[in-house]
Each structure stands twice: as C-alpha cells, then as structure tokens.
Amino acid sequence: MAGKSNVKIHIKTEWCKGCVICVEYCPTDVLAMRNGKAYVKDITKCTACELCEIRCPDFAITVLYDKSEK
Amino acid sequence: MFEYEKYIRKNKFPLVWCSGCGDGIVLKALLRAIDSIGLEKENVCMVSGIGCSSRLTGYVDCNTLHTTHGRAITFATGIKMAKPELNVIVITGDGDATAIGGNHYIHAARRNIDLTVIIFNNFIYGMTGGQVSPTTPVGMLASTAPFGNMENTFNISGLAQAAGASFVARGTVYHTVMLEKLIKKAILKNGFSVVEVLSPCPTAFGRRNKSGTIIDMMNEQKDNCVTSARAERMSERELEGKTVIGELVNIDRPECSKQYRKLIERCRSGL
Ligand SMILES: Cc1ncc(C[n+]2csc(CCOP(=O)(O)OP(=O)(O)O)c2C)c(N)n1
Ligand code: SF4
Ligand code: SF4
Ligand code: SF4
C-alpha cells in the first residue's frame, strides 16, 4: 500500500520504554528499534492508520497527519 | 493524532509501569472514550484501589481518588450516592476487585449502582511480585504457587452478570479499537457497568510462566479470542479454550442512586 505523503511520526524517546509493540503491529513496516528505542525507519510507507499510536502504552508515539489534505 | 495532553498530568510522566505493561494501553483507550462522549473533566471522578493498575488515577487530570486495597468500589459508591451527577469510574485490578474487594464488587452489582468499573485482569497480583489471584488460571505459576496454581478461578464478567450488573463486557489490549468502544458504552450505560480488560503483565506473570514477550502475550489474545457475536454461533466444543470478548450483558434494571433520590422525594412529600 502506498504511504500518505503528508504524515509525520513523532517519537518521544524520553518516554519510550522499548517494548516493540509499535514496531511489531505496524502493518507496513515503517518503524524499527535502535538502542532500545523505537525510530522511524521508512516514513514513505506510512498510511497514517494510527495503530502504533493507540497501542503504545507509554504515550511515546504520535502520528501527525493533516486529514484535510490528500 | 489524539490530544492525550488535554487529559493527563504530564508532570507525573513517564509512567511507573514496566516496559510493555498493558495498563498504559487501557489508560489511553479510556481517555479516548471519555473524549468521544464529550464529558467535561470536572464531571468525571476516577477512583482506584491499590495495585499497579490502580496507579492509573495519578496520571489523569480529573477528580481522582487513590484509595485503599479492595475498597475502590466502596469509596465510589459513597461518591455516587452523594453526587449522582458525576460520572464515577472505578479503576481496579483482578486482586483488588475480586479477592480483598470481592464482596464490594458483587454487592455493587446487586445494587446496580451507576458506576463504570474497569477491571485490569492480569491474572496475578502484579504490584507485590506475582502472588496467585482469584483469576490465576489453573496450572499457572505464581510466587505463592511454585508448582502451579491448583485452585479454580473466578470468571470476573460472569460474577458481575450473576450478581445483577446492567452492562458487562470483556476486552483486550490487542483489540484496542474495540476496547475504546466497550468503555464508551459502559460509561454511557446507566447502571453497574463492568469492563474486564485482559491487560498482560509481562513482568510478574509473563516471565515466571515463560509466556514470552508482551508481543507473544498480545498475539495470544489475537489468536485466542472470539467476539460474543461469533461465539453465539459456536458450539461448546468449538469454544473450549477460547476467550469470548465484546459485549456480554446489556440489560435495564432500576439503578441504586436514582431509587435513593426517589425515596428522598417520597419522604419529603410525607410518603
Ligand atoms: C490491606 C492490604 N493488603 C495487602 C496489600 C498488599 N498489596 C498491594 S497491591 C496487592 C495486589 C495487587 O494485585 P491486583 O489488584 O491484581 O493489581 P495489579 O498490581 O496486578 O495491577 C496487594 C495484595 C495492601 N496494600 N493492603
Ligand atoms: S500510523 Fe500505521 S502505518 Fe504509520 S507507522 Fe503507525 S502503524 Fe505504521
Ligand atoms: S510502543 Fe511506545 S514505548 Fe513501545 S517501543 Fe514503541 S514508542 Fe516505545
Ligand atoms: S509488574 Fe506487571 S502489572 Fe505491574 S507494572 Fe509491571 S508489567 Fe504492569
């Protein structure tokens, strides 16, 4: 699936505890782990589905997406 | 994105819970449910007992009360009777609600008092290092059951149903979107409403039982749960070993705080 062009992912590393939930359940393999924290590996694949955001237990990941744009 | 900042006490973060603890996922679903109903923070009161899950109330910017072990429902009952206009939400663990607080739980259901009770079922006493709770499955290891638990378990949802609750549902942290909807329905329902949430504890339960990582524990939820709608069409044999999730009970019965107001009116008008 093609990603959305205007999506941004913000990861608050101070709050991330490295549980890997966001990486594991991202349907399009956008996220990965580095030094025990999540990071954005390939934003071009992101569909802004927000599954990572709703499942992150530590409020560490935010999906920023302007729904009015295509 | 959802603006969690509107509802949290940011200065208390990061959360005290372990890496991968399911409780943070439930907290977020709860905040989204409150927002989608459009409740004002001043009209929400969250009451918790003691346990890892009960720490939740410290993180939410509304009226909150962190009480004593097993007594969250008791305090919440007093609040609801005194101020019925408040949306009173109880945050409690399987130990808090069904061991030390078991009697409060069944009698609040019997009275059908309008509380929303979110029970974080991690099958163990998390905070104190993994002792057996009334929901620890038979055969599972706990610090007080080094050779495997030999006791039968309570079915948290079944208990509420049998005692007379108006609304009963079961959710998981894997089925996150459904969880938010179930919590929303429970808050909106007038009467005693229970959402039993399977919220894995990778530390005190998972590690000892070699359940793998939090991912393994959430995958198990994904593979092993069937929705109540689907379960209706399945035989008992097909349902063996499965966990039924979704709405389980939704009935209307007279609600306690309303009956109490009516009684006050009657007494005032000379009976
Ligand atoms: C009267 C009393 N007895 C015992 C304890 C010790 N204690 C603290 S938390 C807890 C159990 C917590 O288990 P649960 O309610 O399932 O919550 P969890 O930590 O798993 O979220 C116990 C027994 C206490 N604080 N007060
Ligand atoms: S929004 Fe969806 S696609 Fe994008 S990183 Fe998160 S889970 Fe993956
Ligand atoms: S889900 Fe949250 S806490 Fe877990 S690794 Fe991802 S960003 Fe970090
Ligand atoms: S001990 Fe278990 S329930 Fe307590 S914070 Fe850790 S993972 Fe969560």
Side-chain angles (χ1 to χ4, degrees), chain B residues 17-108:
Chain B
W17 296 315
C18 307
S19 169
C21 176
D23 295 358
I25 304 180
V26 190
L27 166 57
K28 288 170 81 177
L30 170 63
L31 299 180
R32 293 194 304 275
I34 287 173
D35 185 83
S36 72
I37 299 171
L39 297 180
E40 296 294 333
K41 290 195 278 189
E42 306 79 73
N43 298 330
V44 177
C45 184
M46 283 189 201
V47 187
S48 64
I50 298 292
C52 294
S53 39
S54 289
R55 296 288 297 265
L56 182 146
T57 44
Y59 299 112
V60 187
D61 184 27
C62 67
N63 303 293
T64 60
L65 216 66
H66 191 178
T67 70
T68 55
H69 196 30
R71 271 56 180 176
I73 287 177
T74 331
F75 282 87
T77 298
I79 295 166
K80 187 70 192 181
M81 291 304 257
K83 283 196 170 286
E85 67 278 12
L86 285 178
N87 289 279
V88 184
I89 300 172
V90 175
I91 305 295
T92 175
D94 45 289
D96 197 64
T98 68
I100 190 169
N103 239 28
H104 301 295
Y105 179 59
I106 55 177
H107 287 287

Side-chain angles (χ1 to χ4, degrees), chain A residues 23-62:
Chain A
V23 176
E24 187 66 28
Y25 295 117
C26 169
T28 55
D29 209 15
V30 172
L31 307 163
M33 299 301 292
R34 184 165 55 200
N35 301 327
K37 305 272 180 181
Y39 81 102
V40 181
K41 188 179 67 179
D42 185 0
I43 192 70
T44 63
K45 292 193 210 153
C46 178
T47 60
C49 71
E50 296 187 3
L51 283 176
C52 54
E53 184 182 301
I54 65 167
R55 288 214 184 96
C56 168
D58 281 288
F59 295 67
I61 187 158
T62 311

